[in-house]
């Protein structure tokens, strides 16, 4: 099993489509560079990512989907209301709870930034490449799960 390529599930929030395209580009390059495979689920925004992951876990338990790890991508940009705080905190909390409770190999690439310039600086493949970093993290965690016999 350790020699078998990892298969990752990418869950992407499409609210900021152009930024997410770049996050996805980085994640896919990292996954393909590791000779792993992937499939993608899209949701409207970051707050829906934990729910989609929960659904995917239920589907995995039923045998209708298989994945070794998960990469979550999206972007939350601060606005004029508390909505930013709710979305950023609750999406992160939901993912952390699922990852801890289920022992998931998870890479969280949901950006939480003050403005669009910060988002682009973190998303761009040639700069911070947070999509690629999230995929790399998921792959490291898949390797850890395998090493531990999980």
């Amino acid at each position: 099993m350790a020699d078998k390529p990892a298969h990752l599930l990418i869950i992407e929030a499409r609210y900021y489509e152009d930024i997410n395209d770049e996050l996805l580009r980085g994640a896919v390059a990292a996954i393909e560079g590791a000779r792993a495979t992937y499939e993608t689920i899209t949701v409207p925004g970051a707050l829906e990512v934990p729910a989609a992951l929960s659904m995917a876990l239920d589907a995995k338990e039923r045998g209708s989907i298989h994945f070794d790890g998960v990469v979550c991508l999206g972007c939350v940009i601060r606005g004029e209301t508390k909505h930013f705080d709710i979305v950023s905190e609750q999406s992160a909390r939901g993912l952390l709870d699922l990852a801890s409770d289920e022992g998931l190999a998870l890479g969280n690439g949901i950006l939480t930034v003050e403005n669009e310039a910060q988002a682009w600086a973190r998303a761009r493949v040639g700069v911070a490449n947070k999509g690629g970093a999230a995929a790399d993290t998921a792959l490291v965690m898949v390797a850890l799960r395998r090493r531990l016999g999980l």
Side-chain angles (χ1 to χ4, degrees), residues 22-149:
E22 189 71 0
L23 289 167
L24 183 61
R25 189 166 74 94
V28 167
I31 293 166
E32 291 177 346
R35 296 194 169 130
T37 60
Y38 68 94
E39 61 188 282
T40 305
I41 293 174
T42 61
V43 296
L47 205 51
E48 291 77 34
V49 173
L53 177 53
S54 181
M55 291 176 207
L57 288 168
D58 288 344
K60 183 178 181 184
E61 189 173 301
R62 288 192 318 270
S64 58
I65 188 174
H66 166 76
F67 53 90
D68 300 302
V70 181
V71 179
C72 297
L73 303 174
C75 181
V76 184
I77 299 175
R78 185 178 299 281
E80 296 176 4
T81 68
K82 285 194 58 77
H83 188 67
F84 169 88
D85 297 317
I86 293 166
V87 174
S88 61
E89 290 171 12
Q90 295 307 314
S91 63
R93 170 54 54 202
L95 292 177
L96 179 61
D97 287 350
L98 284 167
S100 297
D101 292 348
E102 303 292 333
L104 294 175
L106 178 100
N108 184 352
I110 298 177
L111 305 178
T112 54
V113 297
E114 296 294 321
N115 54 55
E116 192 171 337
Q118 287 180 354
W120 279 109
R122 285 156 181 77
R124 285 203 200 287
V125 172
V127 185
N129 192 14
K130 294 297 184 180
D136 289 339
T137 297
L139 290 165
V140 167
M141 297 304 286
V142 166
L144 176 61
R145 282 184 52 80
R146 289 177 175 181
R147 190 178 105 215
L148 296 172

